[in-house]
Structures are given as C-alpha cells and as structure tokens.
Amino acid sequence: MQVSSLNEVKIYSLSAGRSLPEWLSDRKKRALQKKDVGISRRIELIQDFDMPAVSSKIKVSRDGQYVMATGTYKPRIRCYDTYQLSMKFERCIDADVITFDILSDDYSKIVFLLCDRYVEFHSQHGRYYRTRIPKFGRDFSYHYPSCDLYFVGASSEIYRLNLEQGRYLNSLQTDASENHVCDINPAHGLFATGTVEGKVECWDPRTRNRVGVLDCALSSVTADKEIDGLPSISALKFDGTLNMAVGTSTGQVLFYDLRSNSPLIVKDHQYGLPIKSIQFHNSLDLIISADSRIIKLWNKDTGKVFTSLEPEHDINDVCIYPNSGMLFTANEAPKMSIYYIPVLGPAPKWCSFLDNLTEELEENPETTVYDDYKFVTRKDLDNLGLAHLIGSPLLRAYMHGFFMDIRLYHKVKMMVNPFAYEEYRREKIRQKIEETRAQRVQLKKLPKVNKELALKLIEEGEEPQNTRRKKQKKMPSILNDDRFKVMFENPDFQVDEKSEEFRLLNPLVSKISEKRKQKLKILEHQETLGEEEEEEPEGKPSDAESSETSDDEKGWVEEVRKQRRLLRQEEKLKQQKWFKEDQQTVLEPKFFEIKAGEEFRSFKDTAKRQKLMKKTLGDRLQLEERVGALSVHDTTVGSKQVTFKLKKSEQQKKQQEAEKHHHQERRKLRRSAGHLKSKRGRGRPFH
C-alpha cells in the first residue's frame, strides 16, 4: 500500500504493488509471497480487479454490492461482487464499449452503447436484446419517468428509444452539428446535452422543447489563456436541482447555477487535456474532476484545491463508491486503481478493516522508500570517483541522475573527504557565535569579505549632501540590503583586483584608493587591539583630505597614462614570449593525399575560393550571373526565379568533348552512307 499526502490530506493507493500472474500455481504464489516483501505487503482488496490490456469505464450499482467495468482486449465486461471480494462473472462482446449504465439496483438490467452503433441490453443470464441506432453514438441517458433512452452522437439529432413500447420515438433536433455528452437531472428531469461548438442545450422531456442554451466556450476563455481552437463540451453532470458542472476539451471546469448565463466559478486543470469525468461530494462541497493525467478535488464555492491525485497511467474514468472515501479509476493499464481517502468518508462496510489499518499507519509512520537512498547527479559521481558504477545495480537511473544507497554514499564521502563533518561543525559553531554577537551593541566594523568595497560604500554614505550633484538622489546602501548580504559574507564573492577583468573595468588606481587601503589597515589593527573608537592615522589631520582630493583630480590624467603604459608593457611581454615559443618550434612538412579522379593545379584555386567565400551572397550571385552559371528572371506573379548550373570538373569536360567528337564522326559516316545509297538508286533501271 502506497501513501501520499497533499495539503495534509493522506491518500492510500490500495492497488499499488505487483500482481501475480493467473497461471501460477498456489504453491508458487505462496513461495513468492514469502520471498518478496513487496508482494507480501500488498493489499489485494478485490481479487482479479484488472483487465487484460486496458479498462475504459467503471461504475457501481445503486445497492453498492457490485462493481461493473469494461475493457479490452478482447472487448469484455467484468462484474465484481464486493461482498465476496472477487469476480462474479465475465462476458465478452463483439465491439468496444463506449459507455454503459446500470438501470436496476443490481446487475440485472444493463445497457451498453458499442462503437459499431449497436445498443445491447443485458440481463442476469447474458445478452437479452440488441438494436442499432442511425448514427454513431457518444453518450446516452435514461429518463426513468417515461422509460426513454436519449442517445447523442455524430448527428444533430437526439434519438429517443422507449423501452416500454419497444420502438423509436420522434427525435429532438438541435442546432449543433454533433453532440458529445448528455445528462438528465434526477430531481426535475431536465435533459442537457453538450455540443461540439462548446454550447449546452437544455430540453424539457415533457414538452420536447428547448428551454435554454449556455455558451460555455465563451465563458471558459480567460485573459491569460491561449487557445488553439473552439473548446467543445467533454463532460456534463448535474448537482441537485439548480447546479450543473461542465467540462471542456481544453481542460476547464465551469460550475453553473441554472438561473444564470455566466458560471459561478471556472477551474482550469492547467494541462490542456479534455475533462473525462466530473463527480460531486456533497458532504464537503467538493467537485471531483479528472482529465487523463490528474484527478483534482476542489471546493465548488471558492475553487481552492482540496487535494489531487496523479496516477502512473492515463485515466479513462473515475467512479466514487457511495457514502465513502473510496475511488475507483479505469486506466490505460491492465490494473484498475483503488484509492482510499479517509477525509472524504469512512471505508465501505465490506472493507471496514481499512479504517483500523490506516489508523495504525498514522500512529506508526514508516519511512518512505526515498529515505534510504541518495539522489546524485553525474557530476557528483565524478567528484566521488564512482562514475564506473553507472550501469551496475548499485545505481538506479532516475530523471537526470541516479539513486544510490545512503550508506554507500556516506562511506565514500568519508573516504574522499574525512574532515568534511569537522569543517561543517566548525562552520555551524561560527555561525551560531556570530548570531549571538549580532544581538549585542554593534560597533562600526567592516565585513570580512570585500572590505574595501564596504569602506567605499560607507564613505559615500557619509558624504554630505552639498558635495553631491544636484540631480543625483541619495540611494539606499547595499550594505543594509538583505539581497546583497551574501556578497559580504561568502568568500566566493571576493573581488580580485589583480585580475585582468578588474583592471580593464577599473583602469584608474587613484590616491583615494591608496588612502582607503591605509585606513583599512588601521581599522584592522584597531579591531585586533579591541579599541572601540576609531582614530585618525598619525601625521594626517582631517583637513588634509580635501587637499589630497584636489591633488587626486589634478593627477587623474597621469594615472590613466601610467595604467595604459603598464597594460602595453604586459602585452609586449606576452607577444615576445609567444615569438620565442614560435622560434623554438620546428615545422615539419605535411603531405596531403589527392582523391582519385581529381587534378591538382595550384594553390591559387584554394585562395580564390577563400576570397569568394568571404564575399557577401549578393556579390557571389552577381559574379555567378556574369560567368553564366546563374540566371535570374522575373515571373508574372512578381517574384524572382533563380536557375543554377552546376560547374563541371576538367575530367568531365574532357569526357564531354570526346563524346561530342564521337557523335560528330558518326553523323559524317551516316551522311556519306546515305549519299552512296541515293546514287545507286538513281543508276538502277525500272522493270
């Protein structure tokens, strides 16, 4: 049993785990259960609760005793008895089931709509009767007061089949080209059908007249939603007398009050997939909507998500067991899923032991599977020296990395860096001490990282307003900003003033920076001695600062020139070093092989090709047009037509000239032979 939690709502997957094949003997099954822990711990709530390949629809009878499911391949129906926790019967049919409905309280009356336009009626013993509808059907609903079956499908008409008279009645004509889904309100009998144009048409079965139309496609489009086409209606369900939920093919669920044309709330699944099923949970005011990827439970008043389920396989249908917290799903997989959510309600009476089981699991929580494994990337494996284990059972590939045993990871980590824990412990102790120091009375101290930058920012902040420019506003210092806090704490952000990038961006090394360095040394010395007050360096009164700044402005040009000279000297030294390395290297001749069928003429051709490749496309086209290898014509439409002629090699030209000479000689021989024949014919007499 697998447990997941979202928004503090626990969801128990009762069908998780491997299933044993049917052809195994009981002895082998018992042996596997003893050996394999996963098989022994699994819960098989209903025996053989699966299909050979895919399950399409699933429903529960009104008495709650039977669970009916359809699937393939071959197309079949399976009925499960919940009191016996096993399969009651199985029937194979001729075509796939699109949808079905249980008309009675048990399985004695069932109607199936097949994909080949047939409608089959089944009783307890098997198929009772079958008939055919004029068009391919998509959905149907049963009107209990009049015993009418309403069929919708690939037609604008709604076909009515009366089960009491055993004949078709006059159909209802809609404005749509096709109808996808339909439903009948059990309270007042209002019939609603969802069209391919994104509208819902409501009909009164008593008068057989249309009483209203809802344009759901227009209401489902929001300002931040991009749509490729017109959304159609893919799901429809009534709730009580006045509420109705509509699902679209673009993944929105619209909750309506029948007295209003606009929806009360629009919920987007954010996947863009058609809504497959809509159910209601009245005790908690929840709507359970599902597409092929996710099942969402959300409040119908606020739209807030209560919880959600994401099964491993695509979903085809969802069914809620009445008055309980159990969900059945039909999937694109052989196994049909069973979920139990205790918050929605208690377990059904035929599996009441689930309540005790879940309570014990909550009292004694077990570690999940991922607690015993460590996720590592390929880079982490290279750092640990474990790249050679890729492909072995010790590493399990998952997404962009691998899972490995946590014990193996800790052992290798200790071998690679045995003092890692001690360093981590010292760093944590240092951080705790600094946190306690922060609570004391703070002195004017500089950070340990980027001290010169911090001192510069402090001096700029203390600079009086009149010395600044008038247009320049006072900006907040980044020293007090938490976003730049790491820049003065993490050594990785230390500015390297000797790097080439820093020297190119800051070529000026003025006297202000030298004075700042001296002041920084004095501050560091004061911190070591524990002095609380900052003193000015001896021999430099405060009045000397203004004179030094003026001297700095005068010598600005000299500093720029000096820095440029240094950069040029470094560049010359680099070039001399490269020149010496080039002189020391000995060049050896290289030989190149010419391909068969090609002639080597000179290196001028390659030089010409390189020059030609450097030219623009327009220049190359003009050159080709002059040579005759390209011709450009204007068409009647106004566009350009370009014709290229392939260049021929010297060998091909020689071969073509030889063939041309040969054809000319043959033509001369033919002409001479024809001339001789004509002369002979003229000299013969007629008999």
Side-chain angles (χ1 to χ4, degrees), residues 81 136 182 204 262 298 319 429-430 464 601 608:
D81 192 346
F136 289 97
C182 63
D204 188 354
S262 58
W298 48 282
C319 177
I429 292 171
R430 186 185 63 80
R601 287 175 286 180
K608 288 180 180 178

Side-chain angles (χ1 to χ4, degrees), residues 69-84:
T70 62
T72 192
Y73 178 80
K74 299 178 180 180
R76 65 190 66 209
I77 310 149
R78 285 186 175 179
C79 179
Y80 299 91
D81 192 346
T82 55
Y83 292 172
Q84 301 297 326

Side-chain angles (χ1 to χ4, degrees), residues 552-565:
D552 180 57
E553 290 175 356
K554 292 177 181 178
W556 183 79
V557 179
E558 295 179 1
E559 293 291 337
V560 174
R561 291 174 180 174
K562 185 179 178 181
Q563 192 68 25
R564 284 181 179 174
R565 286 194 212 102

Side-chain angles (χ1 to χ4, degrees), residues 456-484:
K456 179 183 176 183
L457 294 172
I458 291 171
E459 289 178 355
E460 289 178 356
E462 293 175 354
E463 190 176 317
Q465 184 69 28
N466 53 9
T467 58
R468 296 182 186 147
R469 295 179 182 176
K470 294 181 179 180
K471 294 183 180 179
Q472 187 177 359
K473 295 181 180 179
K474 186 177 180 181
M475 302 298 291
S477 177
I478 63 174
L479 289 170
N480 303 325
D481 198 338
D482 293 335
R483 295 175 296 176
F484 303 96

